[in-house]
Amino acid sequence: MNTESIQFLLTTVMELVTLASAYLGLRLFKKSWKLRMSIILVPLLLNAILYLVYQTTPFFYMGVILLLCVPFVWPRKSA
């Protein structure tokens, strides 16, 4: 496999992982906030690393999507 096909596969897998983790991180209402935060932050860090390696914008935009999900998972003082 050449680098273009590896990059295509990584982009496709990370798009699916980003969408799934954003949905699961925001929808797990009864679970602990630490679990929900880790569901969002692990793919966020992977997207950041892949952006640094490949310098392509899809990884950056997927990271921004997950970064926008973080305030909705952050615990409130009343919780």
Side-chain angles (χ1 to χ4, degrees), residues 4-66:
E4 289 86 17
S5 57
I6 291 173
Q7 183 179 350
F8 174 74
L9 287 174
L10 283 173
T11 304
T12 304
V13 167
M14 285 308 296
E15 284 174 353
L16 295 173
V17 168
T18 298
L19 291 174
S21 65
Y23 180 77
L24 289 175
L26 294 175
R27 287 294 187 173
L28 291 176
F29 292 118
K30 302 293 182 188
K31 302 294 180 187
S32 71
W33 67 272
K34 293 177 186 178
L35 173 67
R36 293 170 53 201
M37 190 68 75
S38 66
I39 287 174
I40 290 179
L41 289 181
V42 169
L44 176 64
L45 292 175
L46 284 174
N47 280 324
I49 291 169
L50 289 171
Y51 174 70
L52 290 174
V53 170
Y54 290 110
Q55 294 291 316
T56 57
T57 56
F59 297 117
F60 175 76
Y61 291 133
M62 288 184 281
V64 168
I65 289 169
L66 290 174

Side-chain angles (χ1 to χ4, degrees), residues 63-79:
V64 168
I65 289 169
L66 290 174
L67 197 61
L68 289 173
C69 292
V70 169
F72 296 103
V73 177
W74 199 263
R76 297 180 307 228
K77 289 184 179 182
S78 63

